[in-house]
Amino acid sequence: MSSIIQLLPDHVANQIAAGEVVQRPASVVKELLENAVDAKATDIKLVLKDAGKSLVQVIDNGIGMNVTDARLCFERHATSKIRQAEDLFSLHTKGFRGEALASIAAIAHVEMKTRQEQEELGNHIVIEGSKFVSQEPAVLPKGTSFSVKNLFYNIPARRNFLKSDTVELRHVIDEFQRVALAHPNIYFTMYHNGSEAFNLPNSNVRQRIVNIFSGKTNEKLVPIQEETDILSIQGFVGKPEFAKKNKGEQFFFVNDRYIKSGYLHHAVMSAYEGLLPAGSQPSYFIYLQVPPHTIDINIHPTKTEIKFDDEQALYAILRATIKHSLGQFNVAPVLDFDRDPNLDTPYAFQNKAAEYPTIQVDRSYNPFSDEKKERSGSTKNHYPKTESASSWESLYVGLKQEAFDIAPFEVENEEVTASLFEDEPTEQSVTKTYQIQKKYIVSPIKSGMVIIDQNRAHERILYEQFLKNMTVQHASSQQLLFPLHLFFTRNEIHLLAELQAVLHSIGFIFEGFESDAVHISGIPAHTSESEIPPLLEQLMRDLSEGIPENSFSLNDSIAKSMAKSLAVKNGVYLSEKDQENIVNNLFACKEPNTTPFQKNTFITMRVEDIDKKFAL
């Protein structure tokens, strides 16, 4: 029998490997940026077209490559980062697998230009689908430029599964921000479709965080720092009052490499225990420096998962460091039962010398004298004593008293014996509603009673109301005396600008957009100013996967998000009028049985069902 096992061709093997390494344009951006960092570049530019689907170009001023290295770097398992297996436990570079460039070249059109500083000419290489098209010398600046065009051109199934440009751009920006935060000493710039998206000059860590997000971020940050034999911790954590519902500003870096760790995240959350509202997430930018031999990076091709030798020690040190910083900067409340607040010295009196009190004595004062003399130095005013009236009758002297005789008159008063209604006993209708556990509304009906979930019912009411305002008629808006100034990241500002027309139909009026802030002069009726920031955060979190292409789907998504944010929560007391409004408005909806998220809004209990409960 002939053998059936055979070696795969290189281009097939590269396409298979590309399935793990390159998942979307953001994967290409990550690999190329990390290669530029490993090349000791001090200035890195990222150029995108169509969110990276048409073009991903990374230009750096690193050390470059010679003719041999330029050709060899596109082979599988070809790398300059490691030489032997032991090097895996002393990694100081981003990449080490030697698979990225080979995988990228297998599924795209790649053009590379590189030149070393000591060389007069550089190399220009063109590759299409793992096949070398050309390699020739060229006059080039120092460094390397990678251009990846038409990603997944030979794998149409993978290209069809890419999301919209908005979603793919968001993933690219996430990868760009992670590399930029890990290396604040490098100048990063990013361009998308010809416009500048980020311009990040080299700076310290705090300034890099502010440049990436917004100027408002500076007042949110609390510095943390700790030096131990096991690890070194530096970075910043956010103040509890600025916590958000999403995890968009949470970053862990180990040896300048971005990682994801649920275990370390739990340590941070335990440090904030008792300081955060339910469901809120703090911001943190934490940089850990550990000995390379104590970690294992070779877990996943993306290299975002790391195994530590002593995770429990890291957990305890990280938690204690954050708690110490929060207490040191008076963010966390401190309880000291032995402290007497009356003994606290104001800052203005700390360096002031003690003085003896002065005593003033009025030696001419005689309490037994008939006529009291005015004290010396006293500014008290003495008023002459008025004598009281001799009698109360003197107050009415001189008033004329005239009496009026009122003749008696009669008023027609006939006893009405007829009645507009018959005297038959009538049964009084019971329509009163009751609230149970501040969660359910109970209303009697003819067959028994209906039990309504107040949160779900209000979601259905608001959902249909918002959907009607967006599709049929514009909602009324209440003008604000002082406009709201809300701060967001650049991605969120861009998303709000795209949703401006739809939000205007709901009742929002935007005065203008800045790079990190938005000004709102009008909000939907029956909403308060305090509800607007969490409402917009919830909306952008629900639309984080991209704006739907269909207008109805977009309106539906926005209506669902706003209904979920503004619906009355369980645990809120409702007056009888509010309860009746929810009951009446719910059954006036087109689909009162379920919420917009297909959950039951009410249940009914018949009298027969209640009787069965009491049956013995």
Side-chain angles (χ1 to χ4, degrees):
M1 184 177 179
S2 60
S3 60
I4 58 175
I5 298 177
Q6 59 182 355
L7 290 174
L8 291 175
D10 288 340
H11 67 279
V12 178
N14 289 336
Q15 286 191 10
I16 295 174
E20 290 187 353
V21 178
V22 183
Q23 301 170 357
R24 56 191 347 141
S27 305
V28 177
V29 171
K30 173 182 179 297
E31 298 294 343
L32 295 182
L33 287 178
E34 289 182 348
N35 284 344
V37 172
D38 289 338
K40 302 178 182 179
T42 59
D43 189 347
I44 300 176
K45 295 181 176 64
L46 173 62
V47 181
L48 301 171
K49 286 186 179 179
D50 301 330
K53 297 177 183 178
S54 300
L55 173 66
V56 175
Q57 185 178 11
V58 174
I59 306 170
D60 66 71
N61 62 346
I63 59 176
M65 290 179 281
N66 58 24
V67 178
T68 305
D69 292 340
R71 182 65 179 264
L72 193 60
C73 70
F74 290 100
E75 300 296 331
R76 291 191 66 197
H77 308 301
T79 181
S80 62
K81 315 299 172 61
I82 61 174
R83 300 293 181 183
Q84 51 191 357
E86 288 75 11
D87 294 341
L88 291 173
F89 303 101
S90 60
L91 290 172
H92 298 280
T93 56
K94 303 293 182 184
F96 55 88
R97 291 174 173 269
E99 292 182 340
L101 294 182
S103 301
I104 295 171
I107 55 175
H109 298 162
V110 178
E111 182 179 356
M112 185 185 72
K113 300 176 181 179
T114 181
R115 183 181 74 86
Q116 293 182 329
E117 186 175 7
Q118 66 275 13
E119 300 290 337
E120 294 183 358
L121 295 177
N123 294 280
H124 182 197
I125 297 178
V126 178
I127 301 177
E128 296 180 0
S130 296
K131 296 180 180 180
F132 278 85
V133 177
S134 65
Q135 179 177 1
E136 55 187 12
V139 178
L140 301 170
K142 174 202 169 186
T144 304
S145 170
F146 272 99
S147 298
V148 180
K149 304 176 183 178
N150 304 324
L151 192 65
F152 299 124
Y153 80 99
N154 52 356
I155 311 178
R158 291 287 299 274
R159 188 174 182 87
N160 292 335
F161 273 98
L162 293 178
K163 305 292 184 179
S164 63
D165 288 356
T166 305
V167 178
E168 296 300 336
L169 180 61
R170 184 179 62 85
H171 286 285
V172 169
I173 291 176
D174 288 343
E175 296 293 346
F176 177 81
Q177 290 177 350
R178 292 166 184 173
V179 179
L181 286 172
H183 302 278
N185 57 331
I186 300 177
Y187 197 126
F188 284 94
T189 51
M190 174 179 166
Y191 302 89
H192 181 243
N193 290 339
S195 61
E196 184 180 85
F198 288 94
N199 190 337
L200 309 175
N202 53 343
S203 60
N204 55 24
V205 175
R206 189 181 193 118
Q207 190 63 40
R208 176 56 58 91
I209 295 172
V210 173
N211 289 337
I212 288 180
F213 294 97
S214 64
K216 194 72 173 178
T217 310
N218 189 33
E219 64 183 64
K220 306 178 186 178
L221 302 178
V222 175
I224 61 172
Q225 186 173 4
E226 188 66 40
E227 295 284 344
T228 65
D229 296 335
I230 301 176
L231 81 163
S232 170
I233 301 176
Q234 291 183 344
F236 300 89
V237 295
K239 296 179 181 179
E241 59 265 27
F242 295 102
K244 296 183 177 181
K245 296 291 184 181
N246 57 353
K247 300 181 179 181
E249 297 180 3
Q250 296 180 348
F251 297 88
F252 276 115
F253 299 95
V254 175
N255 297 349
D256 295 334
R257 183 191 303 274
Y258 172 79
I259 68 162
K260 297 178 182 179
S261 175
Y263 189 69
L264 296 181
H265 173 73
H266 189 273
V268 177
M269 296 301 295
S270 62
Y272 279 90
E273 186 177 2
L275 301 177
L276 295 176
S280 298
Q281 296 287 335
S283 302
Y284 55 79
F285 308 86
I286 300 176
Y287 297 78
L288 308 177
Q289 293 292 334
V290 299
H293 65 273
T294 62
I295 59 176
D296 185 8
I297 306 173
N298 193 20
I299 305 296
H300 193 271
T302 58
K303 299 184 282 290
T304 56
E305 299 179 15
I306 290 183
K307 294 295 183 182
F308 298 92
D309 282 353
D310 194 354
E311 285 188 335
Q312 294 182 351
L314 267 65
Y315 184 99
I317 295 173
L318 181 60
R319 179 177 179 272
T321 302
I322 296 176
K323 287 185 71 70
H324 174 71
S325 294
L326 293 177
Q328 183 180 7
F329 289 90
N330 295 327
V331 175
V334 179
L335 292 178
D336 187 359
F337 296 100
D338 298 330
R339 170 177 165 273
D340 186 0
N342 296 323
L343 300 179
D344 289 347
T345 304
Y347 292 107
F349 292 89
Q350 284 185 351
N351 300 324
K352 191 175 182 180
E355 297 179 359
Y356 290 99
T358 58
I359 301 175
Q360 295 181 357
V361 179
D362 186 6
R363 300 186 183 278
S364 63
Y365 175 71
N366 184 5
F368 301 102
S369 61
D370 295 337
E371 185 178 351
K372 298 180 181 180
K373 298 181 180 180
E374 185 177 357
R375 298 184 185 181
S376 61
S378 175
T379 58
K380 183 177 179 181
N381 295 326
H382 297 277
Y383 297 95
K385 186 177 179 180
T386 57
E387 296 183 359
S388 59
S390 59
S391 63
W392 63 271
E393 291 90 346
S394 62
L395 299 175
Y396 300 94
V397 175
L399 294 178
K400 296 181 180 180
Q401 296 181 358
E402 298 179 359
F404 298 93
D405 295 333
I406 300 176
F409 58 91
E410 296 181 357
V411 179
E412 181 180 0
N413 185 11
E414 296 182 359
E415 183 178 357
V416 179
T417 57
S419 176
L420 295 176
F421 305 97
E422 297 180 359
D423 293 336
E424 297 180 0
T426 58
E427 181 180 358
Q428 186 178 3
S429 60
V430 181
T431 59
K432 190 174 182 180
T433 59
Y434 304 90
Q435 188 182 26
I436 300 177
Q437 298 293 328
K438 296 181 181 179
K439 185 176 182 181
Y440 300 106
I441 300 174
V442 179
S443 177
I445 56 176
K446 186 175 182 180
S447 60
M449 63 179 177
V450 58
I451 304 175
I452 301 172
D453 188 307
Q454 63 184 35
N455 174 257
R456 295 183 179 181
H458 203 205
E459 278 186 4
R460 164 54 64 177
I461 297 170
L462 292 177
Y463 168 73
E464 294 197 2
Q465 178 182 344
F466 288 135
L467 205 59
K468 181 180 179 181
N469 292 335
M470 287 186 287
T471 56
V472 180
Q473 60 184 8
H474 286 274
S476 58
S477 175
Q478 53 180 343
Q479 298 295 315
L480 299 177
L481 182 60
F482 300 102
L484 280 177
H485 303 282
L486 304 180
F487 293 88
F488 297 100
T489 62
R490 297 188 181 185
N491 295 343
E492 294 170 340
I493 293 293
H494 179 70
L495 185 60
L496 281 176
E498 293 186 13
L499 299 175
Q500 182 178 2
V502 182
L503 294 177
H504 181 73
S505 64
I506 302 175
F508 284 97
I509 298 177
F510 297 93
E511 280 192 351
F513 293 88
E514 297 180 2
S515 60
D516 59 351
V518 59
H519 307 286
I520 301 175
S521 60
I523 59 177
H526 309 295
T527 56
S528 61
E529 294 184 25
S530 60
E531 294 175 328
I532 300 304
L535 186 150
L536 293 179
E537 288 181 8
Q538 178 71 39
L539 175 62
M540 287 181 287
R541 186 165 64 253
D542 292 339
L543 297 178
S544 60
E545 290 301 321
I547 300 177
E549 301 293 339
N550 190 352
S551 61
F552 176 77
S553 299
L554 174 60
N555 295 338
D556 183 72
S557 300
I558 295 177
K560 286 181 179 178
S561 177
M562 295 188 61
K564 181 170 59 176
S565 299
L566 296 177
V568 62
K569 303 297 185 290
N570 292 328
V572 177
Y573 171 76
L574 299 178
S575 62
E576 292 186 9
K577 183 178 180 181
D578 294 335
Q579 298 173 29
E580 292 178 1
N581 287 337
I582 288 182
V583 174
N584 296 333
N585 292 333
L586 174 64
F587 292 103
C589 293
K590 296 181 179 180
E591 298 180 6
N593 297 328
T594 59
T595 68
F597 306 98
Q598 303 305 316
K599 295 181 180 179
N600 293 331
T601 57
F602 67 90
I603 59 173
T604 57
M605 292 189 67
R606 300 180 303 169
V607 177
E608 293 80 0
D609 298 333
I610 301 176
D611 292 339
K612 292 179 182 179
K613 299 291 184 181
F614 289 96
L616 299 177

